[in-house]
Amino acid sequence: MPKKSVTAGFATRAIHVGQEPDPSTGAVSPPIFATSTYVQEEIGKHKGYEYARVSNPTRTRLESNLASLEGGIAAPVFASGMAAINAIATLLKSGDHVVCGNNLYGGTPRLFNQVWSNFGLEFTYVDTSDARNVARAIKKNTRMVYVETPTNPLMALTDIRAVVDVTKSKKIDLVVDNTFMSPYFQRPIDLGADLVIHSTTKFLNGHSDGLGGVVVCTRPEQAEKLAFLQKAAGAILSPFECWLILRGVKTLAIRMEQHDKSGRIVADFLSRHKKVKKVFYPGLPDHPQHELALKQMSGFGSMITFETGSLANANKMLRKVRVCSLGESLGGVETLISHPATMTHAAYGEKGRKAIGITDGMVRISVGIENVEDLVADLDQALAAI
Ligand SMILES: Cc1ncc(COP(=O)(O)O)c(C=O)c1O
């Protein structure tokens, strides 16, 4: 996209940055460069691409697009969200300490506790919805604070600016997993975060047809280290998967608008349903951090968790859904409904879930963009089974 790209609006950048027509043919849709290597004219004389683990033009396009949407300087992409989080851990050294939110996607503490702690990294988990807990957990060797906001599945928020006030003066990097909001509704870098990660598998792709992850950087040395890691460790995203995200992201703005609209309607319906004991959604006025949500996010999104009362109740309703699809994952155009205790948060174990308030009766819904009346009717008939 021409120089104006920096000032262009979000939807314009999503559709045009890195999405320029192919210069050799004029094709409007960027080509998928299915190649492992690139021919050289003579030793060391090439067009900037040498080997596909190091770089690929389809990947370059996606990385510039995502950097633009999050307001970062680079956005190296990896084979999955977990590969992106793993890449972040490699920025640390043995002996370093990380303060983490105590309610993260289950795979993240699994990676930290069962892999990285064997290599000398130390992790402390606190409730980051109060920034004072972060300040209290910081030690001499703390190098990073890692949060998800809203959290998965409890939908608790972390005040990004308040945590930045704690970390910036101490030169500690704040990493925000922005998967639930997408850059359309939340821009952590604008609020002072140092790194942003996404499972692009979710809203950025938007169509439940590929895995991927991205780390959005704010400083050149981060970008250099992560580009080196792509080359050295090789957990890069394939050109086809890059292309799927390039295609999906073109409609991110309009999809997020509809996700948000329908999310609010479904949350309101659930909050008034007599079989539902509690609803966790930052858009509801009774959410304890509703005011912060209004300040920090420009929409509430479509992730909602609700309490059915027991595992048996959750199972009764989940067996009955017809329009909603029972399955792990989120952020697709289709409504996905899941059971955190046995799916995304199974790795926490019963004790771990109890400690942070994840119950067996909780159901999480990622509201898609189907006709919202059909979703409400489907949930209503499913809840009747309880
Ligand atoms: C918030 C969040 N972060 C990271 C991940 C991991 O991403 P992936 O499944 O693409 O490895 C997930 C997966 O569900 C997630 O929900």
Side-chain angles (χ1 to χ4, degrees), residues 80-82 85 105 148 152 177 179-180 199 201-202 211-212 330:
S80 67
M82 287 318 304
I85 297 166
Y105 164 63
E148 265 174 43
N152 178 6
D177 181 337
T179 300
F180 271 29
S199 164
T201 312
K202 320 298 182 191
L211 279 184
L330 60 111

Side-chain angles (χ1 to χ4, degrees), residues 308 310-322 363 381-386:
T308 62
S310 67
L311 177 63
N313 282 350
N315 204 26
K316 275 185 208 159
M317 85 145 296
L318 289 171
R319 275 167 37 191
K320 290 280 178 194
V321 290
R322 294 290 171 266
V363 169
Q381 64 81 25
L383 283 164
I386 295 179

Side-chain angles (χ1 to χ4, degrees), residues 52-214:
R53 174 159 30 78
V54 182
S55 52
N56 176 287
T58 316
R59 201 170 97 207
T60 307
R61 284 170 171 269
L62 176 63
E63 291 178 342
S64 67
N65 181 286
L66 297 182
S68 168
L69 296 186
E70 276 290 0
I73 61 154
V77 290
F78 295 89
S80 67
M82 287 318 304
I85 297 166
N86 192 59
I88 280 185
T90 70
L91 297 174
L92 300 164
K93 288 201 297 290
S94 175
D96 287 350
H97 173 241
V98 185
V99 178
C100 308
N102 66 356
N103 170 212
L104 303 172
Y105 164 63
T108 304
R110 180 175 57 199
L111 172 72
F112 290 166
N113 300 342
Q114 295 182 42
V115 179
W116 282 104
S117 64
N118 296 331
F119 293 86
L121 295 189
E122 197 193 332
F123 301 91
T124 302
Y125 297 89
V126 298
D127 177 0
T128 57
S129 65
D130 183 343
R132 287 172 301 184
N133 292 333
V134 176
R136 277 184 216 115
I138 283 173
K139 306 201 289 192
K140 267 204 183 120
N141 56 339
T142 306
R143 296 284 169 269
M144 191 177 271
V145 172
Y146 185 100
V147 302
E148 265 174 43
T149 179
T151 62
N152 178 6
L154 297 169
M155 303 306 291
L157 307 189
T158 293
D159 185 333
I160 296 173
R161 269 193 211 281
V163 175
V164 166
D165 285 344
V166 174
T167 54
K168 268 286 184 282
S169 59
K170 297 189 166 69
K171 294 205 159 86
I172 295 169
D173 277 343
L174 172 62
V175 181
V176 178
D177 181 337
N178 199 24
T179 300
F180 271 29
M181 281 296 107
S182 91
Y184 187 68
F185 284 139
Q186 182 168 269
R187 303 274 303 273
I189 290 173
D190 291 352
L191 302 171
D194 299 281
L195 290 155
V196 170
I197 78 107
H198 283 271
S199 164
T200 62
T201 312
K202 320 298 182 191
F203 290 101
L204 291 173
N205 171 303
H207 296 75
S208 307
D209 55 13
L211 279 184
V214 63

Side-chain angles (χ1 to χ4, degrees), residues 216-234:
V216 187
C217 307
T218 57
R219 299 196 301 270
E221 82 270 13
Q222 299 165 338
E224 276 160 33
K225 280 185 183 165
L226 292 172
F228 175 77
L229 186 78
Q230 287 180 314
K231 174 165 81 173

Side-chain angles (χ1 to χ4, degrees), residues 315-378:
N315 204 26
K316 275 185 208 159
M317 85 145 296
L318 289 171
R319 275 167 37 191
K320 290 280 178 194
V321 290
R322 294 290 171 266
V323 183
C324 307
S325 304
L326 173 60
E328 300 205 24
S329 204
L330 60 111
V333 289
E334 58 290 291
T335 297
L336 291 166
I337 194 159
S338 68
H339 184 243
T342 56
M343 296 178 174
T344 47
H345 291 71
Y348 268 77
E350 205 179 327
K351 236 169 104 186
R353 287 192 297 276
K354 202 168 170 201
I356 56 168
I358 299 177
T359 69
D360 286 351
M362 276 181 183
V363 169
R364 189 192 76 183
I365 182 164
S366 164
V367 178
I369 61 170
E370 301 95 335
N371 291 92
V372 71
E373 318 78 74
D374 295 332
L375 297 176
V376 168
D378 191 38

